Amino acid sequence: ETVCRSIQEWKVRGIEPVRVSVNFSKLHLRNENLANQILGIMRKYKVDSKYIEVELTEVSDYEDCQAMKAFVDVMRENGISVSIDDFGTGYSTLNVLKNFNVNVIKLDKSLLDNIGNKDSFDEVVVKNVVNLAKEMNKDVIAEGVETEIQAKFLSDINCNSVQGFLFDMPLKQEEFEERLSGTLPY
């Protein structure tokens, strides 16, 4: 609700919104009305689906997967982008990639920690996950990029969306709004 309220306020103030991710856990998915509640809040604030991304943490048990799949399907049917956060940390990684109609895979920081280390297979894993996801028409965002070595590796394997302390620190809402409005430089 806070995100939708903020997006509505930005539009009123003449600030062009960007898509904002809202995190939900498997505990949220136990609420069978979650999808309808999200859609209702979006209608209440007149927020277009292009401005919302629902970000889900990976799940590992069957019951959670069923609830997650149903939720993802409703979100996608309503034009809402869905991403999987912490990709690569759970037991169901390939099943999630294969069976869920998500738009975005967010690679967990732990997959990047050993980039540049000759004794690690992390580069092989990351490169192949990026390629696999792209072949499945999913966007990939590498989380937790902290070094130039990580950034260069990701660029070299065509993972063009990254986030992490190398680029910026988390912002307070006021600072984010100043950037959106152009009053604070990037």
Side-chain angles (χ1 to χ4, degrees):
E1 186 145 1
T2 301
V3 167
C4 287
R5 187 181 312 113
S6 293
I7 289 171
Q8 182 190 52
E9 288 172 6
W10 298 339
K11 290 171 73 177
V12 167
R13 291 169 39 202
I15 299 171
E16 179 59 30
V18 295
R19 187 168 61 195
V20 179
S21 285
V22 182
N23 292 2
F24 294 94
S25 72
K26 66 181 182 179
L27 294 176
H28 291 107
L29 293 176
R30 292 191 179 137
N31 173 359
E32 294 177 7
N33 294 318
L34 180 63
N36 288 330
Q37 289 172 335
I38 292 170
L39 295 171
I41 291 168
M42 290 174 65
R43 279 191 298 275
K44 175 182 175 182
Y45 291 98
K46 298 178 177 87
V47 171
D48 191 296
S49 61
K50 70 182 180 181
Y51 296 123
I52 299 293
E53 179 175 283
V54 170
E55 188 170 312
L56 302 170
T57 302
E58 271 196 89
V59 295
S60 59
D61 64 49
Y62 181 73
E63 200 171 291
D64 290 339
C65 283
Q66 285 184 312
M68 186 167 139
K69 184 168 183 351
F71 176 79
V72 168
D73 289 346
V74 171
M75 293 292 97
R76 296 292 295 125
E77 288 165 8
N78 285 277
I80 298 169
S81 179
V82 179
S83 65
I84 298 295
D85 195 21
D86 302 330
F87 188 83
T89 60
Y91 295 105
S92 60
T93 301
L94 292 178
N95 283 330
V96 168
L97 191 61
K98 180 179 79 162
N99 295 324
F100 291 83
N101 184 22
V102 299
N103 307 72
V104 180
I105 302 297
K106 291 190 169 187
L107 297 178
D108 188 72
K109 176 190 179 313
S110 65
L111 294 174
L112 303 178
D113 287 342
N114 290 309
I115 298 298
N117 181 344
K118 301 286 187 226
D119 297 328
S120 169
F121 288 107
D122 288 10
E123 290 180 14
V124 173
V125 170
V126 170
K127 181 172 110 177
N128 284 290
V129 168
V130 168
N131 288 335
L132 182 62
K134 283 187 170 196
E135 284 189 40
M136 299 174 85
N137 295 317
K138 298 179 189 313
D139 293 327
V140 180
I141 298 174
E143 296 181 306
V145 178
E146 297 178 350
T147 69
E148 292 288 343
I149 291 170
Q150 292 169 332
K152 176 159 181 6
F153 169 76
L154 292 163
S155 175
D156 290 348
I157 64 167
N158 296 315
C159 180
N160 300 322
S161 296
V162 296
Q163 66 184 55
F165 293 152
L166 180 64
F167 304 101
D168 211 341
M169 297 293 177
L171 300 173
K172 293 181 181 175
Q173 183 169 340
E174 297 78 26
E175 292 173 299
F176 181 72
E177 289 175 358
E178 288 174 0
R179 284 205 184 161
L180 277 180
S181 67
T183 58
L184 182 69
Y186 286 92

